[in-house]
Amino acid sequence: MNQVEKARINDASQMHKLINYFADKGEMLARPLSEIYENIRDYFVIKKGKKVIGCAALHVMWSDLAEVKSVAVVQDSQNQGVGNQLIEACLNEAKELGIPTVFCLTYKPAFFEKFGFSQVDKMELPRKIWTECYRCPKFPDCDEIALTYPMKAEA
Ligand SMILES: CC(C)(COP(=O)(O)OP(=O)(O)OC[C@H]1O[C@@H](n2cnc3c(N)ncnc32)[C@H](O)[C@@H]1OP(=O)(O)O)[C@@H](O)C(=O)NCCC(=O)NCCS
C-alpha cells in the first residue's frame, strides 16, 4: 500500500508536469506552476522513492464548500488504487475540517461516481462559478461535469 503524504514544495514541479501532461491530452485543466506553489498546502501526493506517482488537491472555497481538484496518476501506476487513496485523503480532510459539501469538475464523472459523488447542475455551485470559473478561458462554455459529495450523509 502506498503512503499518501501532504505535498512538499519540492514536489511542485513534478505535480505540474503530471497535471499538464494530462491537460495537454484534454483530460483535465492545466494548472500554472505559480498556482501549485500558492496552493501547495492543498495537495496530497503519493510517491515511489522521490518520484510523484499521483497527486490531488482539496481546495476550501467557503464555510460549506470544498473542491477536489487536479487528480492525476502517472500512466504506469494507474488502476492500482492510487487515485482511490488520493480521493479518500481529500474526503477525510474535508471531514476533519467539518466541510459539508465537496465537489469536483471533471471529464471523468464515472471515476468520481465510484466514491459516491453525484452529478449536479453547475449553477448549484455559484461560489465556484463567480470566484474562479469566470477567470477560466473556457468560461462560460465549460464542458466539464460538476459532481458533489455530501459529507453530511457520513456524520
Ligand atoms: C482518473 C485517474 C485519476 C484514476 O486513477 P487510478 O489510480 O487509475 O484509479 P484507481 O486505480 O484508484 O481506481 C479507483 C476506481 O475507479 C475506477 N476508475 C479508474 N479510472 C476510471 C475512469 N476513467 N472512469 C471510471 N472509473 C475509473 C477503477 O476501476 C476503480 O474502480 P474499482 O474500485 O471498482 O476497482 C487516472 O486515470 C488519471 O490520472 N487520469 C488522467 C487524469 C484525469 O483524468 N484525472 C481525473 C479528472 S480531474
Side-chain angles (χ1 to χ4, degrees):
M1 183 87 153
N2 300 297
Q3 203 178 328
V4 182
E5 302 168 31
K6 289 299 281 184
R8 298 171 67 90
I9 205 74
N10 288 343
D11 300 324
S13 68
Q14 287 191 67
M15 293 194 292
H16 180 242
K17 282 194 191 106
L18 178 58
I19 292 164
N20 291 311
Y21 169 78
F22 290 117
D24 287 347
K25 297 191 342 161
E27 295 190 39
M28 62 197 296
L29 285 190
R31 303 275 170 209
L33 187 55
S34 58
E35 187 183 316
I36 296 175
Y37 283 138
E38 283 169 20
N39 296 287
I40 193 75
R41 293 185 197 86
D42 287 353
Y43 284 85
F44 292 97
V45 288
I46 293 183
K47 294 195 213 174
K48 261 190 191 156
K50 290 188 177 170
K51 185 183 176 194
V52 171
I53 60 163
C55 67
L58 181 81
H59 183 69
V60 177
M61 303 263 347
W62 201 251
S63 63
D64 58 351
L65 195 63
E67 177 178 11
V68 173
K69 58 208 288 190
S70 299
V71 188
V73 175
V74 296
Q75 214 117 39
D76 61 7
S77 294
Q78 289 183 2
N79 300 311
Q80 296 167 33
V82 174
N84 189 335
Q85 280 184 272
L86 290 163
I87 299 290
E88 292 296 336
C90 291
L91 294 177
N92 283 338
E93 188 169 70
K95 192 174 174 182
E96 280 165 19
L97 288 166
I99 294 173
T101 304
V102 172
F103 76 97
C104 65
L105 286 166
T106 184
Y107 299 117
K108 307 269 174 73
F111 172 68
F112 287 92
E113 282 166 348
K114 291 242 170 205
F115 301 94
F117 281 78
S118 335
Q119 293 190 31
V120 292
D121 192 306
K122 281 187 212 82
M123 289 305 158
E124 287 184 35
L125 302 167
R127 279 200 181 93
K128 170 70 181 175
I129 309 298
W130 298 117
T131 56
E132 287 186 13
C133 291
Y134 81 98
R135 284 186 267 145
C136 176
K138 291 189 173 183
F139 185 81
D141 300 314
C142 171
D143 50 358
E144 288 194 302
I145 292 163
L147 298 98
T148 58
Y149 182 91
M151 301 297 300
K152 264 188 179 157
E154 293 201 336

